[in-house]
């Protein structure tokens, strides 16, 4: 019988065979990667006279019969009552320019260090050539939390009143002073803000970190690639874009006039890596560190990066960089002990889907999803492409796409997924999944009956390997109608906004108001929240691995800055414990290499500081 367990065993055996075959030198592996990858490249240049999207026949996926008892736990929309009145502005006025479809972002952070989670929204603005009245600039909008989930707009006193076409926030303490700093990507110049005790000041002249005025940057992530204790910055650029080029490409929908452009019609770009030199100074090291990926035949950049994640793939203590590329192969930059990066997405099994096809990849998140050594990478993809779930068993073993095995594939096939996160919503010790969905075209339902512009978010319960399906769709009878209200979803982040121990959710809608869903679960499950602080390592402890053991179960979390799509979740780690009332041990492997054991009481927030626990051998 082809059960999920048997399929997992088969995949594990396949992984072992592949891993055995890959014990050659890095140089040989890279050469093979280039040869294999070349066959799958999308054309670097595209001339469009007229592109018409035709109605296509879609075979609907079959949903598995589910026999598990799914927990009921309401989510309540508190957006209006909590004081958040921001609305995303895309600049849409009928020209249908590609950036108008891609925002906005959200960061959950404690900007004023008062112990609760604040909200920073990132949006666009009206175009500089627009003749429409310009609304009050709210490209950045910061809301301070009073500790109970009530928010006050503090954008102006915090110094974030700039008007620009923003995309993604990336939060990181660049100077280790205990105050989270802010980097924002944009269509145009990016911006770096230093947090001076709750007041943000723009930092200029930072070694090219602002990028070109003609560039379009998307996802960004802080991480310490050389383990010198200072956070470095990786910035994705999306495509080569400008207004005239976009208007010259005659995209259209059948019977509906001009349409938004396809990324295949725009040339790719290179991402950028910046080394933190200290004192607010950064140096671009893109070339010398091996970040550029070009078509070997044309020398044209291949990347069309949107989502990005920093994750130690091979367990050697050095963080790799995973880039989710839109319509071209995903990249995985392997960290060679801080000296260089080697792109190995094909060899590691994350470049394409299970059919060796590049997907329209958007957001990305990584997790030890099964509470074992299985590392999972989830990537949200375009409509009619199932979301990807790459899994690897054991450090350094190649990944394979197990979206069908886990049940994610059939459940996500029709959605156009941007934001995607792992999060233990019911605190049962297994991480669930959340997705923000929404199409690009308002008129899409006229040519594809299975598609709609506004789409409901998706909530997938982790039933474990013993069930008939590992991932099971939560429905409105379990979560309530507020959770599934239609929206044009983009950014997505989680955090405990009201201080009750469970995870609330923030969705960002394109050209609309965000949605804040308060988690009102009352399942009586216990929990543990950990705030992680580095000393020898970077102060945010980005890159640390935290393991919480209760009985025979060990949960593992990775301290990361960026998750989902152009968004950032809270830095505090939440571990659901179910009925367990005591924690046996907490082990932290710090970026510095130090491994320590801590203890903590359940149902409370505990701060773990590097060098303050019991060092393990």
């Amino acid at each position: 019988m082809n059960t999920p367990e048997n399929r997992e065993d088969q995949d594990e055996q396949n992984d072992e065979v592949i891993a055995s075959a890959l014990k050659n030198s890095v140089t040989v592996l890279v050469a093979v990667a280039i040869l294999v990858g070349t066959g799958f490249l999308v054309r670097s240049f595209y001339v469009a006279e007229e592109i018409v999207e035709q109605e296509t026949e879609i075979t609907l996926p079959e949903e598995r019969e589910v026999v598990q008892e799914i927990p009921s736990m309401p989510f309540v929309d508190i957006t209006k009552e909590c004081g958040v009145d921001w609305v995303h502005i895309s600049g849409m006025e009928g020209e249908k320019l590609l950036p108008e479809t891609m925002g906005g972002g959200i960061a959950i952070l404690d900007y004023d260090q008062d112990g609760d989670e604040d909200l920073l929204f990132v949006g666009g603005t009206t175009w500089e050539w627009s003749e429409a009245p310009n609304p009050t600039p709210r490209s950045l909008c910061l809301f301070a939390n009073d500790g109970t989930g009530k928010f006050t707009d503090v954008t102006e006193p915090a110094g974030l009143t700039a008007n620009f076409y923003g995309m993604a926030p990336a939060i990181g303490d660049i100077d280790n002073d205990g105050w989270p700093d802010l980097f924002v990507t944009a269509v145009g110049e990016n911006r770096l803000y230093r947090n001076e005790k709750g007041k943000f000041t723009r930092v200029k002249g930072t070694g090219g970190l602002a990028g070109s005025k003609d560039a379009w940057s998307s996802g960004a992530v802080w991480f310490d690639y050389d383990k010198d204790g200072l956070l470095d910055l990786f910035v994705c650029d999306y495509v080569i874009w400008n207004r005239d080029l976009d208007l010259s490409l005659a995209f259209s929908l059948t019977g509906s006039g001009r349409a938004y452009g396809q990324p295949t019609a725009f040339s790719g770009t290179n991402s950028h890596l910046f080394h933190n030199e200290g004192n607010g100074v950064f140096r671009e090291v893109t070339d010398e560190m091996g970040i550029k990926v070009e078509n070997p035949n044309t020398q044209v950049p291949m990347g069309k990066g949107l989502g990005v994640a920093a994750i130690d793939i091979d367990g050697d203590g050095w963080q790799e960089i995973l880039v989710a590329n839109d319509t071209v192969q995903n990249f995985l930059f392997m960290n060679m002990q801080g000296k260089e990066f080697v792109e190995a997405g094909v060899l590691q099994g994350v470049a394409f889907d299970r059919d060796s096809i590049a997907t329209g990849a958007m957001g990305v998140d990584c997790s030890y999803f099964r509470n074992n050594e299985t590392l999972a990478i989830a990537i949200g993809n375009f409509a009619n492409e199932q979301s990807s779930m790459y899994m690897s068993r054991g450090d350094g073993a190649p990944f394979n796409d197990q979206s069908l095995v886990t049940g994610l594939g059939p459940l996500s096939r029709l959605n156009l997924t941007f934001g995607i996160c792992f999060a233990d919503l019911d605190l049962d010790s297994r991480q669930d999944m959340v997705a923000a969905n929404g199409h690009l075209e308002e008129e899409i339902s006229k040519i594809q009956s299975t598609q709609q512009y506004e789409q409901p978010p998706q909530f997938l319960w982790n039933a474990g390997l013993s069930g008939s399906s590992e991932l099971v769709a939560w429905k409105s009878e379990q979560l309530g109608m507020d959770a599934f209200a239609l929206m044009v979803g983009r950014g997505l982040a989680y955090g405990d906004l009201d201080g009750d121990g469970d995870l609330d959710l923030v969705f960002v809608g394109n050209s609309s108001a965000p949605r804040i869903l308060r988690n009102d679960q009352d399942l009586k499950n216990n929990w543990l929240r950990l705030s992680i602080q580095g000393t020898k390592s970077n102060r945010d402890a980005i890159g640390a691995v935290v393991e919480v053991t209760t009985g025979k179960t060990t949960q593992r979390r990775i301290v990361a800055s960026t998750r989902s799509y152009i968004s950032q979740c809270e830095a505090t780690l939440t571990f659901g414990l179910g009925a367990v009332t005591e924690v046996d041990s907490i082990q932290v492997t710090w970026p510095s290499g130090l491994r320590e054991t801590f203890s903590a009481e359940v149902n409370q927030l505990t701060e773990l500081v590097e060098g303050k626990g019991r060092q393990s051998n």
Side-chain angles (χ1 to χ4, degrees), residues 564-586:
S564 185
Y565 171 75
I566 59 174
S567 298
Q568 184 151 341
C569 300
E570 65 173 0
T572 301
L573 303 178
T574 296
F575 294 82
L577 303 176
V580 171
T581 58
E582 293 184 358
V583 173
D584 295 334
S585 70
I586 302 169

Side-chain angles (χ1 to χ4, degrees), residues 364-375:
V364 58
D365 196 10
C366 307
S367 168
Y368 289 94
F369 176 67
R370 290 173 173 161
N371 290 338
N372 57 22
E373 68 274 23
T374 302
L375 178 61

Side-chain angles (χ1 to χ4, degrees), residues 31-259:
V32 175
I34 293 173
L35 292 173
V36 175
T38 301
F40 297 95
L41 301 184
V42 176
R43 287 178 300 171
S44 298
F45 294 97
Y46 186 98
V47 179
E49 296 180 356
E50 182 178 16
I51 299 174
V52 180
E53 293 194 18
Q54 302 288 345
E55 182 172 9
T56 55
E57 293 293 330
I58 303 297
T59 302
L60 295 178
E62 295 183 5
E63 290 193 21
R64 297 179 183 173
E65 181 181 357
V66 177
V67 298
Q68 293 94 329
E69 182 179 350
I70 305 173
S72 294
M73 41 180 293
F75 278 88
V76 179
D77 188 341
I78 61 168
T79 310
K80 293 182 179 179
E81 66 184 72
C82 77
V84 172
D85 62 353
W86 179 80
V87 175
H88 176 260
I89 297 172
S90 69
M92 289 183 180
E93 293 180 10
E95 288 190 328
K96 296 217 169 184
L97 304 175
L98 187 57
E100 297 168 357
T101 69
M102 305 302 288
I106 171 68
I108 300 180
L109 74 160
D110 184 4
Y111 91 96
D112 51 5
Q113 294 298 281
D114 64 352
D116 50 49
E117 303 296 345
D118 310 304
L119 302 178
L120 174 69
F121 292 96
V122 178
T125 185
T126 53
W127 293 111
E128 58 184 17
W129 52 80
S130 172
E131 297 180 358
N134 191 17
T136 302
R138 301 185 86 184
S139 301
L140 300 175
C141 203
L142 180 64
F143 291 89
N145 192 343
D146 69 357
T148 68
K150 301 288 186 180
F151 295 91
T152 302
D153 188 340
V154 294
T155 307
E156 185 172 354
L160 295 175
T161 57
N163 185 25
F164 64 106
Y165 207 105
M167 287 292 295
I171 310 298
D173 188 351
I174 64 173
D175 48 12
N176 293 327
D177 66 351
W179 295 84
D181 305 300
L182 168 66
F183 179 77
V184 187
T185 64
V187 179
E189 288 189 340
N190 304 318
R191 295 167 182 253
L192 175 66
Y193 294 89
R194 189 194 299 273
N195 185 346
E196 299 174 346
K197 298 183 178 181
K199 174 78 172 182
F200 289 92
T201 303
R202 187 176 178 186
V203 182
K204 297 184 179 180
T206 54
L209 189 145
S212 167
K213 293 182 179 179
D214 299 324
W216 176 359
S217 297
S218 47
V221 62
W222 293 103
F223 75 126
D224 184 4
Y225 77 81
D226 56 355
K227 300 204 291 188
D228 64 354
L230 296 173
L231 290 178
D232 310 303
L233 182 65
F234 187 97
V235 181
C236 294
D237 275 13
Y238 184 34
V239 294
I240 301 298
W241 179 88
N242 60 61
R243 181 193 184 197
D244 291 341
L245 173 62
D246 201 331
L247 292 175
S248 72
L249 302 174
F251 302 105
S252 66
L253 290 174
T254 302
S256 299
R258 179 169 166 81

